[in-house]
Amino acid sequence: MSELTTPVEPDLPPPRPDVPAIELVGLRKSFGENEVLKGVDMTVGTGDVVCVIGPSGSGKSTLLRCVNRLEEPTGGEVRIDGIDICHPDCDLDVVRRHIGMVFQQFNLFPHLTALGNVMLAQRKVLKRSEAEARSTGMDMLDRVGLADRADDTPNHLSGGQQQRVAIARSLAMNPQMMLFDEVTSALDPELVGDVLNVMRDLAAEGMTMLVVTHEMGFARRVADHVAFIDEGVICEEGPPDQVLVDPQLPRTRQFLQQVLEH
């Protein structure tokens, strides 16, 4: 059996610089007769930030959800640190522990405090002691600028603060990479900056990140690579200054013009 299809051991090996953190090969996804992803190839190197942009319904979120198999690919391969996670012998629970994901909606438990939300998965999934989970939780809340709101429940936090709690919850699991799915699109404009600042800090610290976003300024300043996807196909990709400033395709130029007009 080749290296790329070797079943996952009880824990993932540490990232290797010669193997992409995320690699999509001919990724396809259909819902019934509707083919949403039409053979997508993509590589995210360890420590890289890749931003995926495109119009609504183009397949961006579906692509992201296939990376940790929240959606089951119809065809192709999804490789995490060289391991094909679509292989039947892959221990998906082990792989998912190393992939943090933050959604458009915050998905916080309303009856728990901010700290309680950050502690829960640590206790249930990683089996950390209450003291360790609490210590890590406070560290992560401090990292996103919310240590002073640890005892507040979500209804006492703004949308931007709730999203930062969701990021802290993912970071507390010590992921090797982070997936962000339009995490600012549900926020009031004045709350977006604090969330993007946290993401910029993570990028500066070397976190591997795959980001679906409509924030073109963030993509231009932070991304190592930008991919424009439309109708389930990557139409154009490259460095942000190329794709966002000097796009080669009329469809890319049209999309960016529409985004800037809004």
Side-chain angles (χ1 to χ4, degrees), residues 52-54 213-222 226 240 244 255-256 259-260:
V52 180
I53 64 171
T213 186
H214 62 278
E215 300 286 347
M216 298 302 142
F218 172 85
R220 184 176 179 187
R221 288 189 294 270
V222 180
V226 174
L244 301 178
F255 167 75
L256 291 171
V259 170
L260 292 174

Side-chain angles (χ1 to χ4, degrees), residues 127-167:
K127 308 301 182 185
R128 287 176 178 163
S129 68
E130 182 174 357
E132 184 181 7
R134 180 177 297 275
S135 175
T136 300
M138 286 303 301
D139 286 345
M140 294 305 105
L141 286 173
D142 183 59
R143 190 172 180 180
V144 301
L146 289 174
D148 61 332
R149 308 302 297 269
D151 294 328
D152 289 344
T153 52
N155 64 309
H156 290 103
L157 300 173
S158 71
Q161 290 169 333
Q162 291 184 59
Q163 192 60 289
R164 284 187 281 156
V165 171
I167 294 173

Side-chain angles (χ1 to χ4, degrees), residues 56-78:
S56 297
S58 60
K60 305 185 303 295
S61 292
T62 299
L63 182 152
L64 207 65
R65 292 170 66 87
C66 284
V67 170
N68 62 359
R69 279 181 57 193
L70 288 176
E71 295 289 355
E72 193 69 27
T74 307
E77 295 183 2
V78 178

Side-chain angles (χ1 to χ4, degrees), residues 209-237:
M209 296 164 56
L210 181 57
V211 183
V212 169
T213 186
H214 62 278
E215 300 286 347
M216 298 302 142
F218 172 85
R220 184 176 179 187
R221 288 189 294 270
V222 180
D224 298 291
H225 193 85
V226 174
F228 170 63
I229 187 170
D230 188 32
E231 297 185 352
V233 176
I234 293 180
C235 302
E236 188 164 356
E237 59 182 320

Side-chain angles (χ1 to χ4, degrees), residues 104-105 163 181-188 192 214-215:
Q104 180 177 341
Q105 302 301 325
Q163 192 60 289
D181 188 9
E182 294 278 19
V183 296
T184 61
S185 61
L187 302 179
D188 293 332
V192 168
H214 62 278
E215 300 286 347

Side-chain angles (χ1 to χ4, degrees), residues 160-204:
Q161 290 169 333
Q162 291 184 59
Q163 192 60 289
R164 284 187 281 156
V165 171
I167 294 173
R169 177 178 56 189
S170 287
L171 293 175
M173 304 298 285
N174 194 31
Q176 293 181 6
M177 60 197 70
M178 292 283 288
L179 313 178
F180 293 91
D181 188 9
E182 294 278 19
V183 296
T184 61
S185 61
L187 302 179
D188 293 332
E190 66 268 22
L191 303 177
V192 168
D194 288 340
V195 174
L196 293 181
N197 285 337
V198 171
M199 295 170 65
R200 286 190 192 100
D201 289 344
L202 289 175

Side-chain angles (χ1 to χ4, degrees), residues 37-90:
L37 297 176
K38 305 173 181 177
V40 172
D41 297 318
M42 177 181 289
T43 299
V44 182
T46 298
D48 284 352
V49 178
V50 173
C51 286
V52 180
I53 64 171
S56 297
S58 60
K60 305 185 303 295
S61 292
T62 299
L63 182 152
L64 207 65
R65 292 170 66 87
C66 284
V67 170
N68 62 359
R69 279 181 57 193
L70 288 176
E71 295 289 355
E72 193 69 27
T74 307
E77 295 183 2
V78 178
R79 301 170 182 167
I80 302 296
D81 289 327
I83 296 166
D84 181 4
I85 68 169
C86 297
H87 190 280
D89 292 337
C90 173

